[in-house]
Amino acid sequence: MARLNILIAGIGGQGIITMGKIIAEAGSYSNTKVLVAETHGLAQRGGGVNIHVRIGEVNSPLIPLGKADYLVGLEATEVLRNLSYASKSTNIIINSYVVRPVLPKVRILSLNEILQRLRGLKVYVVNANEIAIKAGNPKALNAAILGFMFGLGAFEGLISEDSFVKALKYESNIKAFKLGQSMKVFIK
């Protein structure tokens, strides 16, 4: 059986923990082993949140440094903070959304500056917030990213589309998943 390591990073309130739970639930519908671990600090004050999702033949929930197959940033800057989990072969998926840091005097990086720092890596840029709004639920950005990942083939042989649809439950989430899935691949 295949193995897949996904590190999901973002800030509090983006549905990161929910995204991990959706993958785990979809995995159970496909009879696939999924382990999930949360690491977060001041999530309710805009702090960073990370979810480790390991699928298939794995024995521990935390992804070793440099071993993520996918690094997903629901907030673009969080990808930079978690690059130690990536390698040259990691697929990096960035939501084109940057949030001003809560600390004063901290300069906000633009998406272009973030992409410059990721030069030489395999990076996909997705406007998940826009997809979620099109789907009728601004909070469905995590479903849009999951759909995009599914369209890339990330879950092939591990979790079926029907399992994701069942786990997403709500019509707007399913619509965001389908819109994300049908996005044309764009590598920066």
Side-chain angles (χ1 to χ4, degrees), residues 43-63:
Q44 292 183 344
R45 295 187 179 207
V49 178
N50 297 339
I51 301 294
H52 295 242
V53 180
R54 303 191 76 199
I55 303 171
E57 290 182 22
V58 292
N59 295 317
S60 67
L62 295 177
I63 300 169

PDB file of all heavy atoms in Angstrom, residues 43-63:
ATOM      1  N   ALA A  43      -4.060  29.707  18.490  1.00  0.00           N
ATOM      2  CA  ALA A  43      -4.846  29.636  17.265  1.00  0.00           C
ATOM      3  C   ALA A  43      -5.985  30.646  17.247  1.00  0.00           C
ATOM      4  O   ALA A  43      -6.282  31.240  16.225  1.00  0.00           O
ATOM      5  CB  ALA A  43      -5.395  28.224  17.076  1.00  0.00           C
ATOM      6  N   GLN A  44      -6.620  30.878  18.390  1.00  0.00           N
ATOM      7  CA  GLN A  44      -7.768  31.788  18.424  1.00  0.00           C
ATOM      8  C   GLN A  44      -7.341  33.246  18.351  1.00  0.00           C
ATOM      9  O   GLN A  44      -8.170  34.128  18.232  1.00  0.00           O
ATOM     10  CB  GLN A  44      -8.611  31.529  19.665  1.00  0.00           C
ATOM     11  CG  GLN A  44      -9.290  30.183  19.592  1.00  0.00           C
ATOM     12  CD  GLN A  44     -10.190  29.927  20.787  1.00  0.00           C
ATOM     13  OE1 GLN A  44     -10.097  30.594  21.790  1.00  0.00           O
ATOM     14  NE2 GLN A  44     -11.055  28.946  20.645  1.00  0.00           N
ATOM     15  N   ARG A  45      -6.047  33.506  18.411  1.00  0.00           N
ATOM     16  CA  ARG A  45      -5.522  34.869  18.269  1.00  0.00           C
ATOM     17  C   ARG A  45      -4.722  35.015  16.983  1.00  0.00           C
ATOM     18  O   ARG A  45      -3.827  35.831  16.889  1.00  0.00           O
ATOM     19  CB  ARG A  45      -4.669  35.220  19.469  1.00  0.00           C
ATOM     20  CG  ARG A  45      -5.500  35.265  20.719  1.00  0.00           C
ATOM     21  CD  ARG A  45      -4.702  35.763  21.866  1.00  0.00           C
ATOM     22  NE  ARG A  45      -5.584  35.809  23.029  1.00  0.00           N
ATOM     23  CZ  ARG A  45      -5.404  36.628  24.017  1.00  0.00           C
ATOM     24  NH1 ARG A  45      -4.410  37.458  24.004  1.00  0.00           N
ATOM     25  NH2 ARG A  45      -6.217  36.619  25.031  1.00  0.00           N
ATOM     26  N   GLY A  46      -5.012  34.192  16.013  1.00  0.00           N
ATOM     27  CA  GLY A  46      -4.353  34.300  14.707  1.00  0.00           C
ATOM     28  C   GLY A  46      -3.019  33.597  14.633  1.00  0.00           C
ATOM     29  O   GLY A  46      -2.256  33.819  13.700  1.00  0.00           O
ATOM     30  N   GLY A  47      -2.701  32.775  15.601  1.00  0.00           N
ATOM     31  CA  GLY A  47      -1.432  32.059  15.614  1.00  0.00           C
ATOM     32  C   GLY A  47      -1.412  30.895  14.642  1.00  0.00           C
ATOM     33  O   GLY A  47      -2.443  30.491  14.114  1.00  0.00           O
ATOM     34  N   GLY A  48      -0.228  30.353  14.413  1.00  0.00           N
ATOM     35  CA  GLY A  48      -0.056  29.259  13.469  1.00  0.00           C
ATOM     36  C   GLY A  48      -0.671  27.958  13.956  1.00  0.00           C
ATOM     37  O   GLY A  48      -0.665  27.658  15.149  1.00  0.00           O
ATOM     38  N   VAL A  49      -1.200  27.188  13.014  1.00  0.00           N
ATOM     39  CA  VAL A  49      -1.775  25.877  13.285  1.00  0.00           C
ATOM     40  C   VAL A  49      -1.217  24.918  12.236  1.00  0.00           C
ATOM     41  O   VAL A  49      -1.217  25.242  11.050  1.00  0.00           O
ATOM     42  CB  VAL A  49      -3.323  25.895  13.189  1.00  0.00           C
ATOM     43  CG1 VAL A  49      -3.886  24.511  13.440  1.00  0.00           C
ATOM     44  CG2 VAL A  49      -3.913  26.905  14.150  1.00  0.00           C
ATOM     45  N   ASN A  50      -0.736  23.778  12.686  1.00  0.00           N
ATOM     46  CA  ASN A  50      -0.242  22.744  11.769  1.00  0.00           C
ATOM     47  C   ASN A  50      -0.963  21.442  12.045  1.00  0.00           C
ATOM     48  O   ASN A  50      -1.180  21.092  13.198  1.00  0.00           O
ATOM     49  CB  ASN A  50       1.249  22.477  11.965  1.00  0.00           C
ATOM     50  CG  ASN A  50       2.085  23.680  11.661  1.00  0.00           C
ATOM     51  OD1 ASN A  50       1.649  24.571  10.954  1.00  0.00           O
ATOM     52  ND2 ASN A  50       3.273  23.701  12.201  1.00  0.00           N
ATOM     53  N   ILE A  51      -1.276  20.745  10.974  1.00  0.00           N
ATOM     54  CA  ILE A  51      -1.860  19.421  11.087  1.00  0.00           C
ATOM     55  C   ILE A  51      -0.985  18.459  10.287  1.00  0.00           C
ATOM     56  O   ILE A  51      -0.701  18.707   9.109  1.00  0.00           O
ATOM     57  CB  ILE A  51      -3.304  19.393  10.524  1.00  0.00           C
ATOM     58  CG1 ILE A  51      -4.193  20.369  11.267  1.00  0.00           C
ATOM     59  CG2 ILE A  51      -3.876  17.980  10.592  1.00  0.00           C
ATOM     60  CD1 ILE A  51      -4.441  20.024  12.709  1.00  0.00           C
ATOM     61  N   HIS A  52      -0.570  17.398  10.928  1.00  0.00           N
ATOM     62  CA  HIS A  52       0.166  16.338  10.250  1.00  0.00           C
ATOM     63  C   HIS A  52      -0.856  15.267   9.880  1.00  0.00           C
ATOM     64  O   HIS A  52      -1.573  14.783  10.763  1.00  0.00           O
ATOM     65  CB  HIS A  52       1.207  15.715  11.185  1.00  0.00           C
ATOM     66  CG  HIS A  52       2.298  16.653  11.586  1.00  0.00           C
ATOM     67  ND1 HIS A  52       3.610  16.425  11.269  1.00  0.00           N
ATOM     68  CD2 HIS A  52       2.272  17.828  12.262  1.00  0.00           C
ATOM     69  CE1 HIS A  52       4.350  17.409  11.744  1.00  0.00           C
ATOM     70  NE2 HIS A  52       3.549  18.276  12.367  1.00  0.00           N
ATOM     71  N   VAL A  53      -0.914  14.902   8.616  1.00  0.00           N
ATOM     72  CA  VAL A  53      -1.813  13.846   8.159  1.00  0.00           C
ATOM     73  C   VAL A  53      -0.955  12.794   7.471  1.00  0.00           C
ATOM     74  O   VAL A  53      -0.241  13.104   6.512  1.00  0.00           O
ATOM     75  CB  VAL A  53      -2.876  14.375   7.171  1.00  0.00           C
ATOM     76  CG1 VAL A  53      -3.792  13.244   6.716  1.00  0.00           C
ATOM     77  CG2 VAL A  53      -3.691  15.500   7.798  1.00  0.00           C
ATOM     78  N   ARG A  54      -1.009  11.584   7.980  1.00  0.00           N
ATOM     79  CA  ARG A  54      -0.234  10.487   7.391  1.00  0.00           C
ATOM     80  C   ARG A  54      -1.215   9.390   6.989  1.00  0.00           C
ATOM     81  O   ARG A  54      -2.044   8.951   7.789  1.00  0.00           O
ATOM     82  CB  ARG A  54       0.808   9.976   8.379  1.00  0.00           C
ATOM     83  CG  ARG A  54       1.744  11.117   8.817  1.00  0.00           C
ATOM     84  CD  ARG A  54       2.924  10.626   9.569  1.00  0.00           C
ATOM     85  NE  ARG A  54       3.862  10.048   8.600  1.00  0.00           N
ATOM     86  CZ  ARG A  54       4.831   9.202   8.945  1.00  0.00           C
ATOM     87  NH1 ARG A  54       4.985   8.833  10.202  1.00  0.00           N
ATOM     88  NH2 ARG A  54       5.642   8.714   8.017  1.00  0.00           N
ATOM     89  N   ILE A  55      -1.099   8.962   5.750  1.00  0.00           N
ATOM     90  CA  ILE A  55      -2.065   8.023   5.172  1.00  0.00           C
ATOM     91  C   ILE A  55      -1.331   6.781   4.681  1.00  0.00           C
ATOM     92  O   ILE A  55      -0.273   6.886   4.068  1.00  0.00           O
ATOM     93  CB  ILE A  55      -2.806   8.699   3.984  1.00  0.00           C
ATOM     94  CG1 ILE A  55      -3.486   9.994   4.440  1.00  0.00           C
ATOM     95  CG2 ILE A  55      -3.821   7.745   3.365  1.00  0.00           C
ATOM     96  CD1 ILE A  55      -4.048  10.831   3.303  1.00  0.00           C
ATOM     97  N   GLY A  56      -1.942   5.618   4.934  1.00  0.00           N
ATOM     98  CA  GLY A  56      -1.388   4.367   4.428  1.00  0.00           C
ATOM     99  C   GLY A  56      -0.540   3.655   5.457  1.00  0.00           C
ATOM    100  O   GLY A  56      -0.892   3.611   6.633  1.00  0.00           O
ATOM    101  N   GLU A  57       0.582   3.098   5.021  1.00  0.00           N
ATOM    102  CA  GLU A  57       1.459   2.316   5.900  1.00  0.00           C
ATOM    103  C   GLU A  57       2.316   3.233   6.752  1.00  0.00           C
ATOM    104  O   GLU A  57       3.472   3.508   6.416  1.00  0.00           O
ATOM    105  CB  GLU A  57       2.335   1.394   5.069  1.00  0.00           C
ATOM    106  CG  GLU A  57       1.578   0.270   4.422  1.00  0.00           C
ATOM    107  CD  GLU A  57       2.492  -0.650   3.631  1.00  0.00           C
ATOM    108  OE1 GLU A  57       3.704  -0.688   3.894  1.00  0.00           O
ATOM    109  OE2 GLU A  57       1.971  -1.315   2.742  1.00  0.00           O
ATOM    110  N   VAL A  58       1.774   3.709   7.827  1.00  0.00           N
ATOM    111  CA  VAL A  58       2.508   4.567   8.753  1.00  0.00           C
ATOM    112  C   VAL A  58       2.225   4.096  10.177  1.00  0.00           C
ATOM    113  O   VAL A  58       1.197   3.488  10.453  1.00  0.00           O
ATOM    114  CB  VAL A  58       2.103   6.050   8.607  1.00  0.00           C
ATOM    115  CG1 VAL A  58       2.550   6.600   7.264  1.00  0.00           C
ATOM    116  CG2 VAL A  58       0.603   6.229   8.775  1.00  0.00           C
ATOM    117  N   ASN A  59       3.176   4.380  11.073  1.00  0.00           N
ATOM    118  CA  ASN A  59       3.006   3.939  12.450  1.00  0.00           C
ATOM    119  C   ASN A  59       2.965   5.071  13.464  1.00  0.00           C
ATOM    120  O   ASN A  59       2.654   4.843  14.626  1.00  0.00           O
ATOM    121  CB  ASN A  59       4.126   2.962  12.817  1.00  0.00           C
ATOM    122  CG  ASN A  59       4.035   1.697  12.003  1.00  0.00           C
ATOM    123  OD1 ASN A  59       2.948   1.146  11.812  1.00  0.00           O
ATOM    124  ND2 ASN A  59       5.162   1.248  11.482  1.00  0.00           N
ATOM    125  N   SER A  60       3.332   6.280  13.058  1.00  0.00           N
ATOM    126  CA  SER A  60       3.278   7.409  13.986  1.00  0.00           C
ATOM    127  C   SER A  60       2.628   8.589  13.272  1.00  0.00           C
ATOM    128  O   SER A  60       2.715   8.710  12.055  1.00  0.00           O
ATOM    129  CB  SER A  60       4.677   7.774  14.478  1.00  0.00           C
ATOM    130  OG  SER A  60       5.447   8.280  13.410  1.00  0.00           O
ATOM    131  N   PRO A  61       1.988   9.485  14.031  1.00  0.00           N
ATOM    132  CA  PRO A  61       1.235  10.566  13.384  1.00  0.00           C
ATOM    133  C   PRO A  61       2.064  11.764  12.944  1.00  0.00           C
ATOM    134  O   PRO A  61       1.582  12.560  12.137  1.00  0.00           O
ATOM    135  CB  PRO A  61       0.239  10.974  14.477  1.00  0.00           C
ATOM    136  CG  PRO A  61       0.925  10.633  15.752  1.00  0.00           C
ATOM    137  CD  PRO A  61       1.756   9.413  15.468  1.00  0.00           C
ATOM    138  N   LEU A  62       3.285  11.928  13.444  1.00  0.00           N
ATOM    139  CA  LEU A  62       4.072  13.116  13.080  1.00  0.00           C
ATOM    140  C   LEU A  62       4.975  12.847  11.883  1.00  0.00           C
ATOM    141  O   LEU A  62       5.660  11.824  11.816  1.00  0.00           O
ATOM    142  CB  LEU A  62       4.908  13.586  14.269  1.00  0.00           C
ATOM    143  CG  LEU A  62       4.108  14.078  15.478  1.00  0.00           C
ATOM    144  CD1 LEU A  62       5.045  14.441  16.627  1.00  0.00           C
ATOM    145  CD2 LEU A  62       3.228  15.269  15.108  1.00  0.00           C
ATOM    146  N   ILE A  63       4.985  13.783  10.963  1.00  0.00           N
ATOM    147  CA  ILE A  63       5.806  13.668   9.758  1.00  0.00           C
ATOM    148  C   ILE A  63       7.246  14.049  10.111  1.00  0.00           C
ATOM    149  O   ILE A  63       7.477  15.119  10.680  1.00  0.00           O
ATOM    150  CB  ILE A  63       5.269  14.613   8.655  1.00  0.00           C
ATOM    151  CG1 ILE A  63       3.831  14.240   8.298  1.00  0.00           C
ATOM    152  CG2 ILE A  63       6.178  14.591   7.432  1.00  0.00           C
ATOM    153  CD1 ILE A  63       3.127  15.260   7.423  1.00  0.00           C
TER     154      ILE A  63
END
